[in-house]
Amino acid sequence: MRKLPFLFIAIMLSLVSCSKHQQDQRTVIPAPSHFHLSDEETFKFSDRTRIVIQPASDELRQLADTLSVWLQKATGLSIPVEDFSTGTSLSDYILLSTYQADTSYGREGYKLQCGTNGVIIHAVENAGIFYGIQSLKQLFPPEAFGGKPEKAEIPGAYISDIPRYPYRGMHLDVSRHFFPVSFIKRYIDLLSFYKMNTFHWHLTDDNGWRIEIRKYPELTRKAAWHVDRNHQRWNEVSPPEKGEKATVGGFYTQEEIKEVVRYAASRYVTIIPEIEMPGHTSEVFAAYPNLSCKGDTLMVQPGTYWPNVDIFCAGNDDVFTFINDVLTEVAELFPGPYIHIGGDEADKTRWKECKKCQKRIVSEKLDGETELQSWFIHKVEKMVLSKGKKMIGWDEILEGGLAPEATVMSWRGMDGGIEAARMGHDVIMTPTSHCYFDYYQADPETEPEAIGGFLTLKKVYSFEPTPPTLNNMEAKHILGAQGNVWSEFIPTSAQAEYMAVPRMIALAEVVWSKTKNRDYESFIRRMQYHYSVLDQLQVNYGPQSKRVDINLTRDEKTGKLLVSLETELYQPELRYTTDGTEPGAQSQIYTMPIEIEGSTTVKAVIFNKGAADGKSSERVFQVHKATGAKVSISPEPSFKYKARGPQTLTDATLGSQNHSDGCSLGFEGTNAEIVIDLGSEMAVDKIELAFIQNLKAWIMLPDSVAISGSASGDSFQPVAAIKIASEKPQDQVYRHAVSIPTKGTNVRFIKVNVKNGGPLPASHLYPGMPAWMFIDEVVVL
């Protein structure tokens, strides 16, 4: 009895592992560790086909029953489930087995073999069986997912697969906009189909409290609802008026949450609930104002609330009684190991003004408000641990000292995660640069309004969660990565789906597949199959960007300047010009990097069926004395707008009025000091710079620019200075270029001091707030 299934496995393996390897037919995402396909062996489903489970267990039978239902839709055949026995036939069976599996596959790994006799999915645990089933489904033609089978057969295959990271997550913010249980389940379906195993449920924030807490019923009576401002832009809403009825919002009952938790568990997805603290808590004060520093009853905000100054009072013991009670109910609802407590963007203005908070700082012998936040987080972590859970927080929980057993979610770049890993803490990487799916994914002019940014499918796929700066011991603390969907500009379930997919699928391969198995060309080819699957599932997925990325590099051996053209499409036809004219059907087809010898304007566009598909992309390259020169910047630009780092300012690439085009560096509320090393002393006649004005995005022109020079880099002498004045109305978006004469000054080092033009003016919606400043190429002539 015990040897029989392994004889079956050996027969099956021999059928597929020696067969013809056809890479171009692969369809599985994420890319498996090992994958062989056969065009000679196929398994044909028939009315004799059975699903067999070994050993018999309720959980394995549930997986088999679910597969049987799906197969009936995919093949048109009714396929029964039975337990394995000594009389089991060796043909026309799908065997799901966890019996004596290879323990090296861990909890989530699996083997899948498919040949003429049948299919075997073998794993150590049922989670591996589930993931094997997802790969099995992806061997079917796309029509099977819509219940329109053309033929009930799949190719011969051998897959051996183990995930790279144990944490593979997707986040959804349901506070800014509320989404129904039906969509939460659909979201879980999508992420689990691509072998993601964690759903981060952002349940509370300034715009609404979304979870029933029975001890505090006012949270769902008052804090879950705000006035209707759906007709206004999110960041321009008028404040609620006194007496105005709150009609927009919603919450999940505890029974609904239990239902979602069960649903997720059946798909091997763990849910992490997030209860924000100490900041992003103003909605609580609509129900329990005594928990704030001022004690004022607030109305829940219907749009942007920034700065979010109203936060939990750290000097009030009632706050910690409330938090402990809330966490007690949350811990009972969610069986997973983690509770996320937020910890981000806690504005400490009220703490500085609050007598109770200042008294707490003195009594606990703390060094100011930053340490008060650390004390707050440490106290909450003890509550979380007392309930048998682990605490996760955004990387701000590092400030003032990290709680002993906390896991850090690094969103402000990778640095917070690196710091935490070196301290011995577990880390989940989710930087804005690669994991914020509320950013635009294609041309903003043709896309629904988003919060900003620009994050394409290809850039998501390029993400490497483990920084190379970590040693092997430190790298073990990188548990994985997560995609985030913040919903400020996402009012509907359909749009949430549109923003998440297909970027979620790219991240799924990043966190599951080994680096050596990842290849963007292969991925985007496989995505052609998956777009058809998504169509069958009626998923409202976002488009691939049709932007052509135009990049300039210098060949290290020859010194030649080479322009490369890239897109995220599969095998596109690209046509380009180098004289600034619009590319047409007679323009050159791109086949290899383009050499340029001086300043050049390159335009490129995707062609499809003899016509331009989308608008052309343009890059202006200006070669100058500082092209490729080393640059240092103080302070560093914001983690959100680092572009290609300091070298962005000397890469000969001029930017546009779009601050997200990757050609400018962004500084939030700070000045900037830029030092350029020309490599040798030379005469400099003038320096050209460019900045951006976009007051709606809080971007102002600088106040002034000062140039100084040095032969040694130690002592700098003033060369020139100018004041900056806007040439256009403040409500107009434009790129402002300036030229500063330097009269042939001989220098090797150039220092450029740029003074921020903020704060935001009185006419702005948020007067007095820090202004952003964006700096383009520093052209030295």
Side-chain angles (χ1 to χ4, degrees), residues 363-625:
S363 66
E364 297 294 336
K365 299 178 181 179
L366 304 173
D367 186 13
E369 289 75 26
T370 299
E371 282 198 6
L372 180 59
Q373 175 165 345
S374 179
W375 175 87
F376 188 110
I377 298 299
H378 278 67
K379 191 172 181 68
V380 170
E381 186 190 35
K382 291 177 182 177
M383 298 179 194
V384 173
L385 291 172
S386 73
K387 302 173 198 318
K389 305 293 184 180
K390 300 176 185 178
M391 186 184 81
I392 297 182
W394 301 108
D395 57 51
E396 284 95 332
I397 66 173
L398 286 161
E399 297 169 6
L402 189 57
E405 298 182 52
T407 296
V408 171
M409 205 166 259
S410 188
W411 73 279
R412 297 178 299 174
M414 306 285 277
D415 291 346
I418 292 170
E419 180 184 350
R422 286 176 172 163
M423 294 167 63
H425 289 267
D426 287 342
V427 174
I428 297 153
M429 289 296 191
T430 181
T432 58
S433 59
H434 293 81
C435 297
Y436 268 46
F437 297 168
D438 52 330
Y439 286 5
Y440 285 106
Q441 58 191 312
D443 185 355
E445 293 183 11
T446 61
E447 286 292 285
E449 185 178 17
I451 198 167
F454 190 75
L455 179 57
T456 64
L457 183 71
K458 188 172 186 177
K459 186 168 183 181
V460 174
Y461 193 83
S462 72
F463 183 42
E464 173 46 56
T466 301
T469 54
L470 297 180
N471 63 36
N472 290 338
M473 288 299 294
E474 294 164 345
K476 290 180 181 179
H477 288 290
I478 308 300
L479 301 183
Q482 173 178 287
N484 294 335
V485 180
W486 300 100
S487 63
E488 285 94 335
F489 288 87
I490 304 176
T492 66
S493 299
Q495 193 169 342
E497 195 169 79
Y498 181 90
M499 299 302 282
V501 184
R503 289 180 290 188
M504 177 191 77
I505 303 174
L507 185 62
E509 183 147 309
V510 167
V511 290
W512 178 280
S513 305
K514 292 180 174 61
T515 304
K516 67 178 183 180
N517 292 332
R518 282 170 48 197
D519 175 78
Y520 184 75
E521 285 300 312
S522 168
F523 170 76
I524 203 63
R525 180 197 57 74
R526 284 176 282 132
M527 276 302 302
Q528 307 314 301
Y529 163 86
H530 283 268
Y531 285 129
S532 297
V533 170
L534 296 172
D535 287 336
Q536 293 292 330
L537 295 174
Q538 298 183 332
V539 172
N540 185 41
Y541 57 89
Q544 290 178 265
S545 172
K546 293 180 180 178
R547 185 177 78 170
V548 180
D549 291 324
I550 306 172
N551 299 304
L552 181 68
T553 58
R554 185 187 296 271
D555 188 295
E556 293 182 2
K557 293 182 179 179
T558 65
K560 293 180 179 179
L561 295 173
L562 301 174
V563 176
S564 61
L565 307 182
E566 296 180 351
T567 77
E568 62 177 47
L569 302 183
Y570 179 57
Q571 295 182 343
E573 177 185 317
L574 303 179
R575 293 185 180 269
Y576 69 93
T577 62
T578 56
D579 59 2
T581 59
E582 199 66 22
Q586 304 305 313
S587 299
Q588 189 77 19
I589 295 178
Y590 177 77
T591 57
M592 60 187 296
I594 309 154
E595 182 181 349
I596 64 171
E597 296 182 351
S599 298
T600 306
T601 298
V602 177
K603 285 191 172 184
V605 69
I606 297 167
F607 259 68
N608 185 17
K609 298 179 180 178
D613 188 5
K615 69 177 186 178
S616 65
S617 299
E618 177 181 348
R619 276 285 182 263
V620 178
F621 299 108
Q622 185 170 357
V623 181
H624 53 94
K625 291 178 180 178

Side-chain angles (χ1 to χ4, degrees), residues 164-215:
R164 181 183 178 193
Y165 291 103
Y167 187 104
R168 307 179 301 278
M170 281 296 296
H171 154 287
L172 183 64
D173 167 18
V174 298
S175 174
R176 272 66 176 224
H177 286 98
F178 179 73
F179 303 111
V181 166
S182 58
F183 178 69
I184 302 301
K185 289 180 176 179
R186 180 174 171 88
Y187 198 72
I188 290 168
D189 283 340
L190 284 168
L191 67 92
S192 65
F193 179 59
Y194 290 103
K195 303 186 178 75
M196 285 190 152
N197 64 1
T198 307
F199 171 45
H200 175 174
W201 207 353
H202 187 83
L203 288 163
T204 72
D205 215 303
D206 295 304
N207 304 103
W209 182 282
R210 305 302 183 201
I211 175 173
E212 177 190 15
I213 301 297
R214 289 173 178 167
K215 192 166 186 177

